[in-house]
Amino acid sequence: MTYSERKDERAKLLIVDDNKQNIELLMELFRDDYKITAAVNARRALKIALSEAPPDIILTDILMPEMDGYELCRKLKGDSKTKNIPLLFVTAISEEMDESRGFALGAVDYITKPFNPLMVKARVKLHLELKRKQELLEKYAFIDALTEIPNRRRFDEVIDQEWNRAHRAGYSISLMMIDIDHFKLYNDTYGHGMGDDCLRRVAGTIAEVLRRSSDFVARYGGEEFVVILPDSDLSKALDTAKKIQDKIDALDIAHQSSLAADHVTFSIGVATMIPEDGKHPRELIEAADTKLYEAKSSGRHCIRS
Ligand SMILES: [Mg+2]
């Protein structure tokens, strides 16, 4: 879970210093505001940063035996799992310091000792706030603003991840393309406000049917949705498609201009593949798309595979 999602919890601060007195000094300062973990060397700090419960922010000393603060920073910034954790250097003013080097490595700030406690607290708070905002920005970049389900951009990422996972594990992966029948006529008849409501309800309904955490739905474009079902053979995928179709029928959203039924319905194309060397997820998307086209050209309100 990201920092921005853990609203009720205190932020986790990791203090790295080979001098225990320095650690105690900082712990004293932040004890009331944060959950603190300390590491007496960079190796230990890396282990904590890569653990299941990584810190939200890191304060590190520079001069340490074996691995120094710069090297720690370089390692953290070079790993996708830890690169977004803000890192601040804490160092004595008397020590040889190379600020530009630290910033070039990706550190966000320097705190020099002796420090003003209020200033240090304010800086840490500021960097946590920036991190929270950054996480929110990234989150919304992958969410469709209207339906609040993942968008096409997110789909492009997830399909690659799931395809590779299925490839490694040797299981099949299914893809479903879903299109609302005669949606243009729906908008023409009921107006775009109602059209937007319809898209939201439909998106929510598809998401509701998908029970497994690995199942994924995104808005693919206009009135088109795409569903990824990892580790699903064709019969399982068809089962899910049928559930989605039944559920949308049961909603019974009036659509008097539809040529397929008197309510909002779906055309659904389903395809399944076992990823192999030389195959690309694009082939799976195209296969599902072809089946969707077949569903549309055979009267809509149906599933084709
Ligand atoms: Mg030191």
Side-chain angles (χ1 to χ4, degrees), residues 31 63 84 90 102 123 126 205-206 253 257 270 296:
R31 196 186 308 276
L63 293 178
N84 292 325
V90 185
R123 285 213 186 149
L126 166 75
T205 302
I206 299 170
I253 304 170
S257 318
V270 184
K296 284 192 200 175

Side-chain angles (χ1 to χ4, degrees), residues 178-197:
I178 304 174
D179 195 75
I180 305 177
D181 296 324
H182 300 294
F183 190 67
K184 191 188 173 303
L185 291 176
Y186 187 92
N187 275 327
D188 292 347
T189 309
Y190 301 99
H192 283 91
M194 290 274 282
D196 287 352
D197 282 346

